[in-house]
Amino acid sequence: MLARQEKEMVELFQTIPSEPGLWDSITLDAVGQSSGISIPVQMQAVAHANMARRNTVHVYEGELQAYDADVFAISGVVEYRDAAWNYEQPASLLDEYRPERISVLRDAQIRVSVPRASSFHPENHMRLPVCQRTDEPGRWVQPATLPFAAEAHGQPLYGGKVWLPYRCRLRSYTYSAFLQCLDDYRPFSPETTGKYTVHWFGDTNSRRALKKITSLGQWCSGIMASRPQCLCDDSGEAFPRFTGQNTVRDTLLELNDEDGGWSVRENGMVKNRGIQNTLAQVYYHRWEGLTQYNSGRWQDVFKPSALGLYPQANLVVISIGNMDVSFTQFLEYTRQLNELVVLLQSAYDEQHIVLRMPQYFCCRAPSGNPPRRMQKDRNRLYGDYARRLFELHFGSRLHVWDVSGIAETLPLEQRRDVAGCAVNTVPSEIVDLENLQLMNGICNAASLRSKPKPDGWRQDPANIELA
């Protein structure tokens, strides 16, 4: 009887339809023995009919792409077997997190050499073109190993390391320079008049991004970055510039390059404040993704009567996945996404769309009440499905903001530190880096760089290009 009950419990776990052969959740990294660079290896089920069956041998393969000179050793764990990583069963049946270390042959190492003339050589990094996308892959590097001062070029540090893209370099935008860019260049905008306006739909992670933007980077900076709300959950923090909590769903922010940003309207109520010389506006809708935990139907926010209360958008930011992974089954999520795409096409027929991917998650079981059913592979697959669907429908108007790749390339111990945050937000230093990724993707686009600088362009010293 007991064996039968255990079998029934195991069979409650099923793979996700978009990847039916993924029965086991595997975390595998190639770690540089000298540099400490960590490269995640995405494991995929081999193409074989038997992989769709539970009770058989499961075989996986992965591709390692290494661009730094070092000797890389392979290490990893099997986090879950028998699809127990897919928490779509009742919360009472959540499986424990008991990772099994993968045995690797001692001589299973990969030696990588990089010619000095290669664009991947550290000496050539500052000669790379500036990044023009929001999804460039990269790695965390010890600044002492670089032939240039990373901090001098405005690169945020975390855990004593700096994150560098492989094929481009991040331009060192200050938050003030970013707001100047929105006002002067009006990136991707179909409109050429009026204050540049961003419509931003997001969760807690978006709130933290906007706290950085509205405070011009002062929120949780310097020695303040070690406070609990900076490392993880800021939901109880009083923030004077805008409320940003669940009680306030709709906020209109006005921003300039000297004062930062302040809310001038919250939930339709006008605030008795404003700023002079507004450069940009953000309409921020605080939501819980496409789930039942919103204060009303999430679809209603895209009605003309709702959007018409705010200035017309020049750019749209959509953050989904975090809450959806936590509280929605995959097939229901795909239905909700299809509905979202239809609504976005109707509401924003010309505007470019920035799709913010789910945060990276690893190294622990879900927590919370009700449990947030986040897991490494669930987060990845939910995000991948959204990316493919949006690419299909929005084409060249889409910009994928892949924040997950930043945390996933941290060394495993630092990933575990970040994973200690119950709501799965990242420390404030990484928020700065995520925002820098966004700024580069918006303001460095080739279509903008060819435009002449407007009269009175206010060049920030940190933005001067190398010769």
Side-chain angles (χ1 to χ4, degrees):
M1 183 67 173
L2 181 60
R4 179 181 176 184
Q5 288 178 337
E6 289 179 348
K7 182 176 184 294
E8 289 175 348
M9 289 179 64
V10 166
E11 291 186 351
L12 284 171
F13 296 94
Q14 298 293 330
T15 60
I16 279 179
S18 66
E19 203 157 331
L22 190 66
W23 293 97
D24 308 294
S25 178
I26 301 170
T27 296
L28 201 68
D29 297 302
V31 181
Q33 301 303 283
S34 298
S35 64
I37 291 172
S38 181
I39 307 173
V41 181
Q42 296 292 350
M43 304 302 291
Q44 295 180 326
V46 298
H48 194 283
N50 283 348
M51 291 299 290
R53 297 165 50 196
R54 180 189 298 274
N55 298 317
T56 188
V57 174
H58 298 134
V59 181
Y60 302 91
E61 60 184 359
E63 182 180 62
L64 171 63
Q65 296 185 4
Y67 301 100
D68 296 281
D70 207 336
V71 175
F72 289 86
I74 304 298
S75 64
V77 296
V78 177
E79 291 193 319
Y80 296 98
R81 296 182 182 273
D82 291 321
W85 58 269
N86 186 23
Y87 302 119
E88 300 224 331
Q89 77 293 345
S92 60
L93 298 179
L94 290 176
D95 203 14
E96 291 185 54
Y97 183 74
R98 294 174 294 192
E100 308 167 44
R101 184 165 295 280
I102 296 174
S103 297
V104 181
L105 296 175
R106 289 187 177 181
D107 58 352
Q109 296 185 335
I110 300 106
R111 183 178 299 275
V112 178
S113 60
V114 179
R116 195 165 185 173
S118 168
S119 62
F120 298 111
H121 195 283
E123 291 185 3
N124 300 318
H125 182 78
M126 295 309 294
R127 297 187 180 95
L128 293 174
V130 291
C131 299
Q132 298 178 24
R133 298 173 59 98
T134 48
D135 60 351
E136 290 285 353
R139 74 289 205 197
W140 291 91
V141 180
Q142 294 281 359
T145 66
L146 299 173
F148 58 90
E151 285 187 280
H153 291 282
Q155 303 289 66
L157 295 179
Y158 177 71
K161 294 187 175 183
V162 60
W163 189 83
L164 300 179
Y166 287 113
R167 296 182 175 86
C168 61
R169 60 183 174 86
L170 289 173
R171 199 176 184 182
S172 52
Y173 283 96
T174 63
Y175 286 98
S176 292
F178 173 58
L179 295 174
Q180 293 170 13
C181 160
L182 297 185
D183 180 48
D184 288 335
Y185 276 163
R186 305 181 67 82
F188 309 122
S189 175
E191 299 293 335
T192 58
T193 59
K195 295 183 179 69
Y196 191 91
T197 302
V198 179
H199 286 192
W200 192 318
F201 304 86
D203 55 18
T204 299
N205 298 283
S206 293
R207 178 181 68 218
R208 292 168 72 84
L210 285 168
K211 282 185 175 181
K212 279 290 189 181
I213 294 172
T214 56
S215 67
L216 300 182
Q218 293 303 304
W219 176 71
C220 284
S221 63
I223 61 173
M224 307 299 285
S226 60
R227 296 184 302 168
Q229 60 266 43
C230 303
L231 295 172
C232 177
D233 187 4
D234 64 314
S235 59
E237 178 189 46
F239 188 66
R241 292 178 177 270
F242 68 96
T243 303
Q245 309 302 339
N246 292 353
T247 54
V248 177
R249 291 289 173 171
D250 295 292
T251 302
L252 181 62
L253 300 160
E254 291 186 351
L255 307 97
N256 71 22
D257 56 347
E258 295 182 357
D259 304 312
W262 296 86
S263 64
V264 295
R265 200 192 317 165
E266 294 186 354
N267 280 355
M269 301 294 293
V270 176
K271 310 283 285 188
N272 292 321
R273 64 188 180 199
I275 63 172
Q276 302 294 319
N277 303 317
T278 301
L279 298 184
Q281 299 175 117
V282 174
Y283 161 51
Y284 171 48
H285 178 73
R286 171 73 166 86
W287 70 1
E288 313 302 331
L290 313 181
T291 72
Q292 61 181 338
Y293 290 95
N294 289 290
S295 58
R297 294 177 71 252
W298 65 263
Q299 296 91 335
D300 292 344
V301 72
F302 296 104
K303 290 181 176 179
S305 58
L307 291 178
L309 299 174
Y310 297 91
Q312 184 176 358
N314 301 96
L315 182 71
V316 181
V317 178
I318 299 286
S319 176
I320 51 176
N322 299 302
M323 299 299 291
D324 308 282
V325 167
S326 299
F327 302 117
T328 305
Q329 292 187 351
F330 184 76
L331 289 179
E332 176 59 25
Y333 168 68
T334 63
R335 288 191 286 267
Q336 300 284 341
L337 267 181
N338 287 333
E339 189 172 358
L340 173 62
V341 165
V342 171
L343 291 171
L344 289 174
Q345 288 175 319
S346 176
Y348 306 107
D349 59 347
E350 294 183 291
Q351 290 86 345
H352 281 228
I353 308 289
V354 175
L355 175 65
R356 181 178 171 126
M357 299 290 276
Q359 301 295 129
Y360 177 72
F361 181 91
C362 85
C363 316
R364 66 173 174 86
S367 59
N369 187 22
R372 294 171 178 256
R373 294 175 291 184
M374 291 180 284
Q375 195 276 334
K376 174 178 70 70
D377 293 293
R378 279 177 60 82
N379 284 37
R380 175 178 62 84
L381 292 172
Y382 276 55
D384 286 349
Y385 185 87
R387 178 200 289 258
R388 292 195 301 270
L389 185 68
F390 275 56
E391 285 174 344
L392 176 65
H393 289 282
F394 297 106
S396 62
R397 289 199 290 139
L398 177 66
H399 309 270
V400 177
W401 185 7
D402 188 9
V403 296
S404 63
I406 293 175
E408 187 176 15
T409 49
L410 283 168
L412 183 58
E413 288 305 314
Q414 288 182 300
R415 272 181 273 164
R416 287 174 177 155
D417 290 342
V418 173
C421 178
V423 295
N424 202 41
T425 57
V426 294
S428 57
E429 298 100 323
I430 299 182
V431 176
D432 274 322
L433 179 55
E434 293 172 346
N435 282 350
L436 187 61
Q437 190 182 34
L438 175 68
M439 296 176 201
N440 274 258
I442 289 178
C443 291
N444 291 346
S447 61
L448 301 178
R449 293 171 63 200
S450 63
K451 293 181 180 179
K453 292 182 175 63
D455 293 338
W457 166 251
R458 295 147 292 177
Q459 177 68 59
D460 186 277
N463 281 339
I464 297 175
E465 299 282 355
L466 296 181

